[in-house]
Amino acid sequence: MAKNTPVTRGKLRILGVLTVLILLMVFALLHYRSKTVVLELALYSGNSWGVPQNFAYAIYDKAVEMFEQRFADEGYTVVLRTGTMYKDYSEWFAQLVLKGKEPDIFLIIEEDFTTYAAIGLLERLDKYIEKSDLSPDVFFRNALEAGQYQGSQYSLPIYIVPSFLIVNNDLLDSLDLTIDLDNWTWEQFYHLCEQITDDLDGDGAPDQFGVEGYDWHHVFYTNDTSLFNADSTQSGFNYQRFSETLHFLKKMHALNQGVIVREGTFEDGRVGFKTFNLSEFRVYGSYPYRILRYEDFDWEALPFPHGPHGSSKSKLYTVQLGMSSRSRHKDVAFEFLKFISSDKDFQYQIWEYSNMLPVNRAVFDHIYKSGIMQRDGMRPLDREFIESVIANSYIDPDFKKYPVIDEYITQRIFTIIAQDEDISKGVGSLDQMINELLEDEYSVQTGKR
């Protein structure tokens, strides 16, 4: 029988130590796995307002970094699912939903929101908000309402992009024109555009214009409140006000004599006004980027003019984040939603890492009080003005078929104006068309006719 030599005993001790270490590692790994919660977050690249964003995911990388540091003791981890463009995101996400593999939390395309809430895909957040220290007062009201469906909160806003007009002051000054903002109506706007419009080269067609990017949405919402009824099952506009909208659009269309104002004409100094949004303002209102487009003349931001029965309004773009109702980590997912939408330290990073505006009102206050805009070389953007724009903004209807219906409305309005159709008949045909399209939408949702 072999003796237990010193060498053999040494090997046994080493083997024993290795066995203990392996067991400790296994127990540690099992403990880590039982403690760690891994969330998946789905993102798209791009946006609905058409302004390129360099390093599109940088702000989300920062959010994950800060969140994981904040909850390091709990071991929370967030994994990003990226690489899908904005235009492809709905289809890509729908495929994940059909397979039951959607992430715990995800960005929501505007027109998908109502469908996701209605079919139960989105977790209702009311009970989580009630149990937390999250106050609605943290947010801009319109941004929070964009995530509500049938009186409940189904998503939280991350950031917003308000829209407005900009004016070429030098062009107006050269024509000895002034703007009376205390009486900023359609009529004043029309008369300014009429005096700006000109045939500079004498070929019989105008090549200097009143406004670029101005369409029926900017006119309708400054004279009426809504296209549809409260539950988006029928048209809800006022006949008289829509008639006023079409009359005004006809007048504006006639100024250009059928000439289409091409994108970029404002930058050439040959347009008085242009529709704009805050992302564009941040890009082209900051040095050195403003020298690329808007350095040859003085320009500033303005509200939209209003109709005889309305007030100045413009579209508010919001980015919303929701939680899957099938997530296995709902409490942690809500912690991330709350963090990214309301945490002051992170919301400040939105100004640093993107061209958008934080949705947290306290951070908004800090930006204006601290002189950050001047540090960033931005043109001044009056605080009272931008607060008014946000407060008086509207959110596009968010049911699934709205983009299709919107396109039909746009085409029909163009036909009424271009072919000089009777206004009253045109309004009636719009009402009928909208109701037929909404009836088809309702039939698809309910399976009823």
Side-chain angles (χ1 to χ4, degrees), residues 10 100 139 173 182 219 245 295 303 336 412 447:
F139 306 100
D173 289 344
D182 292 330
V219 182
T245 291
E295 186 67 4
F336 186 83
R412 185 72 190 98

Side-chain angles (χ1 to χ4, degrees), residues 150-169:
Q150 295 185 344
S152 291
Q153 198 75 40
Y154 282 87
S155 66
L156 291 177
I158 308 174
Y159 26 72
I160 54 176
V161 178
S163 56
F164 39 83
L165 280 175
I166 56 172
V167 56
N168 182 335
N169 285 323

Side-chain angles (χ1 to χ4, degrees), residues 29-43:
L29 181 60
L30 290 173
H31 175 71
Y32 175 78
R33 286 182 174 176
S34 67
K35 182 181 179 182
T36 299
V37 172
V38 179
L39 297 176
E40 285 192 326
L41 167 60
L43 307 171

Side-chain angles (χ1 to χ4, degrees), residues 333-350:
F334 179 75
E335 285 294 341
F336 186 83
L337 288 178
K338 185 177 76 167
F339 172 82
I340 198 171
S341 65
S342 65
D343 182 82
K344 291 181 182 178
D345 291 337
F346 169 71
Q347 281 277 305
Y348 177 76
Q349 301 303 314
I350 290 172

